Amino acid sequence: MAAPASLLPELEDVVQHGSAEKRAETLRRITTLFLDGAPAFNDHHVALFDDVIGCLIAEIEAKALAELARRLAPVENAPAKVVATLAKNDDIDVAGPVLRAGHLSDPDLIAIAETKGQEHLLAMAKRASVSEALSDVLVNRGDRNVAYSIADNRGANLSERAFTNLIDRAQQDGDLAEKVGQRTDIPPRLFRQLLLQASEVVQRRLLAAARPETQAEIRRILAKVTDEVGAKAAPRNYTAALAAVRALHKERKLTEADVANYAEGGKYEETIAALSTICAVPVEVVDRLMNGERADPVLILARSANFGWPTVKSVINSRPGPKPSQTVIDAAHENFERLTAATAQRVVRFWQVRQGTGE
């Protein structure tokens, strides 16, 4: 340790009288000295560097601190007090590298998570390992990006409370629901809750991504959901509408334009009958699906038939009850754009097979 000791007189002079440039240059030299010998240093050696570097960074520009953080972050035995100081810095360029690394104790991380902003929370959410206690704070205080990162991070240990929080938030966020549902550590009871509240589109994405041993349970739950959708809706008589629509279909094949015209003209029964005929799904099934709260059945039926968004919007607006808000319409449009024809057709076949139509 003769080399670090020889720097002490220079260090004293730099700390007392050195310019910002001189302090930054001395910091780089001492950091390089530490990094070169870090694998062989014992705790006493590291503590000495901790004191020396700690003196230098007391008053130094953020650019030099950010460089120091990047250099120390990968080092397993980085000076603890220096790392803690960097992690608490308000500048995310300084704090981020060490927050993402494996340094700092859980109490220190939690204290930072409880007081700092979203960028700091996001950095911690990306750590290779995140404890349940830290995850609880990150999920509770974090914004959408933090929630996404935690849900995606397989090294994050989530408590039941964190899962419950994420599932509550996922009611209005299909992407988050999908990320949470794909975690293998989600408790079965909470997975069922997530699946039941998820949109049809998200349900199908989860089914497609699930392990084979999980798919049977998902199908069982989806079958139950399908049976319950619109169960309380008033029954409608489609006899006349079906006769008219089928006669037109026999005369000339029904088109998307026909569905749009029915929907825009306020002919709800004919709209349902036309969708049933084009998609080969029993009219009573289409009726129940359309009368549910979710817009996803409309998206699935329309995408399977290669309809465009204007027609889909008209069909959504034709449903009984209050007209959907613009927020609901925008969310439906976003989900429709993401939904592939192949996925939609698989769902429609599911509805067909369950009802014995066989097409």
Side-chain angles (χ1 to χ4, degrees), residues 181-182 191 204-216 218:
Q182 289 178 356
F191 179 69
R204 295 302 161 180
R205 288 180 189 162
L206 291 174
L207 178 62
R211 295 170 298 174
E213 60 269 27
T214 307
Q215 288 189 357
I218 295 178

Side-chain angles (χ1 to χ4, degrees), residues 196 200 203-204 219-231 284-285 288-289 294 347 350-351 354-355:
L196 289 175
E200 294 278 357
Q203 289 172 352
R204 295 302 161 180
R219 289 184 184 279
R220 186 186 69 77
I221 296 173
L222 290 182
K224 182 176 184 295
V225 171
T226 301
D227 288 339
E228 293 175 350
V229 170
E284 58 271 16
V285 176
R288 284 162 46 208
L289 292 170
R294 301 183 178 105
V347 179
F350 173 75
W351 289 331
R354 289 195 68 246
Q355 296 299 320

Side-chain angles (χ1 to χ4, degrees), residues 58-353:
E59 296 181 16
I60 202 165
E61 63 179 7
K63 182 179 179 180
L65 292 177
E67 178 186 345
L68 174 66
R70 288 193 299 271
R71 298 182 74 186
L72 291 181
V75 181
E76 186 175 347
N77 60 338
K81 289 187 292 185
V82 169
V83 166
T85 299
L86 296 173
K88 296 172 186 175
N89 196 287
D90 289 335
D91 189 330
I92 191 59
D93 289 337
V94 177
V98 292
L99 287 176
R100 287 187 290 268
H103 310 300
L104 300 175
S105 67
D106 229 38
D108 287 339
L109 289 167
I110 290 171
I112 294 170
E114 289 175 338
T115 57
K116 295 297 183 180
Q118 295 301 319
E119 290 182 316
H120 288 65
L121 299 182
L122 183 59
M124 285 182 274
K126 294 180 177 180
R127 290 169 60 86
S129 177
V130 183
S131 71
E132 283 192 4
L134 178 57
S135 291
D136 281 345
V137 179
L138 295 177
V139 170
N140 186 54
R141 293 196 66 234
D143 61 12
R144 187 184 189 193
N145 290 331
V146 175
Y148 280 15
S149 185
I150 279 287
D152 270 335
N153 187 349
R154 295 303 181 261
N157 297 291
L158 301 183
S159 66
E160 185 163 320
R161 178 168 55 181
F163 269 116
T164 300
N165 190 323
L166 289 171
I167 290 170
D168 287 344
R169 295 171 67 170
Q171 292 187 57
Q172 306 299 325
D173 191 332
D175 289 335
L176 180 58
E178 187 175 356
K179 292 176 184 296
V180 175
Q182 289 178 356
R183 289 189 64 98
T184 58
D185 55 343
I186 183 172
R189 175 182 63 82
L190 294 179
F191 179 69
R192 176 182 172 82
Q193 177 184 335
L194 175 71
L195 195 62
L196 289 175
Q197 74 182 30
S199 69
E200 294 278 357
V201 173
V202 172
Q203 289 172 352
R204 295 302 161 180
R205 288 180 189 162
L206 291 174
L207 178 62
R211 295 170 298 174
E213 60 269 27
T214 307
Q215 288 189 357
E217 174 64 10
I218 295 178
R219 289 184 184 279
R220 186 186 69 77
I221 296 173
L222 290 182
K224 182 176 184 295
V225 171
T226 301
D227 288 339
E228 293 175 350
V229 170
K232 297 181 180 179
R236 290 175 178 267
N237 190 330
Y238 289 96
T239 303
L242 276 173
V245 166
R246 286 173 178 172
L248 180 60
H249 188 59
K250 186 175 181 180
E251 178 184 333
R252 62 159 180 80
K253 191 173 183 181
L254 285 171
T255 66
E256 177 182 353
D258 294 316
V259 175
N261 289 334
Y262 288 141
E264 292 166 4
K267 298 181 177 181
Y268 182 73
E269 283 79 7
E270 286 79 1
T271 302
I272 298 298
L275 283 171
S276 169
T277 301
I278 291 174
C279 298
V281 176
V283 68
E284 58 271 16
V285 176
V286 178
D287 176 52
R288 284 162 46 208
L289 292 170
M290 286 280 289
N291 275 283
E293 294 181 1
R294 301 183 178 105
D296 299 290
V298 181
L299 311 184
I300 293 168
L301 290 167
R303 179 64 84 189
S304 74
N306 294 315
F307 290 177
W309 170 247
T311 300
V312 179
K313 183 178 178 181
S314 296
V315 173
I316 292 174
N317 283 320
S318 75
R319 299 193 304 173
K323 296 303 179 188
S325 67
Q326 188 59 47
T327 300
V328 170
I329 292 294
D330 291 342
H333 191 189
E334 182 179 349
N335 282 332
F336 183 70
E337 293 300 320
R338 291 179 177 176
L339 180 64
T340 66
T343 297
Q345 288 160 6
R346 283 198 297 270
V347 179
V348 169
R349 285 197 295 272
F350 173 75
W351 289 331
Q352 292 169 342
V353 170

